[in-house]
Amino acid sequence: MNIKKSTKKLLTLALLSLSSTNLIAQNPYLPLWEYIPDGEPYVFEDPDKPGEYRVYVYGSHDSLIENYCGREQVVWSASVNDLKNWRYDGVIFESFIGPDGRPLNFDSKGDVLYAPDVTMKIGKDGKKEYYLYPNDQNGGRNGLIAKSDRPDGPFKVTNWSKNNPTTADGVLQFDPAVFVDDDGRVYGYWGFETSYCAEFDPNTMATVKPGTEIKKQMISGRFDDGIFSFFEASSMRKILDKYVFIYSRFTKEGEFGMPSSNYTLAYAYSDNPMGPFTYGGTIIDGRGIEKDANGKAFATATVDGNTHGSICEINGQWYVFYHRQCGLDEYSRQAMVAPITVKVEKGKGGKVSISQGEYTSEGFQLEGLNPLHRTAAGWACYYTGPKPGTHDWPKHGFFGSYVEATRIADPAKQSYSQNALVCPVVNNTDGSTVGYKYFNLNKLNKKQNYSLLVNLLPEGVDGTVKVLLGAPSEAKGAKVIGQFELKSNMPKQATRISVPLSGWQTFKGKQPLFFVFESNTKDKSMCQLYDFIFE
């Protein structure tokens, strides 16, 4: 196996971008140097602009680099009227000082914080209150909650135990989700391989309502009989009169023609917030499954991993928010989004139908990527090699192309545009294919001639790179619209190659574009791919 070593190091690529266009809307929809998994999206009123609304994404922060998550939780947001520009709203919570002012841990380091959730309720004074459930899995702080009068924080813990200043009074544990119903009743959900739910005391927002009990196995778990196969990542939404539970599902062996995986989000629905639930189906599958000429299913992206997220309606359009795996392990996860459709049959027993989102490079650019804007290589949604990749938790293995997980030296000083050239596509060996779905070719003038200006780093291997439009191979109907040669004696430095294009005029609308790598030298990378643009 020829697996290129991941750098996993802090770096700044001192390369000029091909365009200064500030686009943060594609997949991943946040800057490539930012790693926000487990994203829970909510539309809240902008506290600084009453009457206007923003979508806020609350997630973990993969800043530990060599393990899951980080010791801080941050939030990003965007106006519901401008989903192409996301704003970093800063750190909203850390857990390192107890109510007595002393460090919670002997080393004075903060707790590692995992997949959070946020909910809003109207307080007794009529003001909006926001509650953060930071998923602090350190000892007796599992049920920790924090409160703020703003959706962007900062949040302050409200449920410290009166008997022990290092623990919290609450029952929530792994991957918490909390939901406030229209009647003011509060419900909590959590679990790992076994699902739990309970009605909460609205006065504490953290403890079980007196006279009620915790319900175990709300839906069937990974090792239970039944189709639900709950794994983790609880999330609850109410749509009209239906309660929709989104979660990470462990698929069955052979399901979808693939090995078992927890790289999917599924949903279940009910007339009651605590069930019984009906299984709905898959909302997103991070493997990007397609079928070959013989009808055999295969992954077109990282073959396995975890994912976590939920659904959100923004200006009448529904989206599924999730995360993808990046690099050679599960510790650099990036925020992703896909449009979906949601249909609800009102009334008792009514059905909820949610379409499965497609794993693409588009993100919020629903009309397709603009070919006249710079495309970062790391936005690739399709990367395959001469043999399928592997997954041996927590490691990913690749025989061909993949998106490298890189970090910048100081994110605080970085522009929030996508012009920081991180996360190149690397290990581009013979038999590799790298793809982008989809480009809006209507942005091009068919009366003009175009070239593709490709920014890459040659790695000392002779080979040919073909540019295909419409499909990943000629056997599937693709048209080769250009190609270029890489030579072993080319300097190993950032190089721009202008590739004349022809034949693209026969295509219109949204089309996928692919790079196909060919070489007589097997198992060695031909180049690192940074970005490209039509000119």
Side-chain angles (χ1 to χ4, degrees), residues 33 40 51 75 205 211 253 292 399 494 505 511 521 524 530:
W33 48 261
E40 284 281 350
V75 68
M205 299 293 288
E253 190 68 27
D292 63 19
F399 294 92
Q505 295 89 344
Q511 297 291 337
T521 303
K524 289 187 177 182
Y530 293 134

Side-chain angles (χ1 to χ4, degrees), residues 333-353:
R333 299 163 294 175
Q334 296 171 315
M336 302 280 282
V337 69
I340 56 174
T341 59
V342 178
K343 297 180 181 180
V344 175
E345 297 175 0
K346 293 184 67 176
K348 187 176 181 180
K351 183 179 181 180
V352 176
S353 301

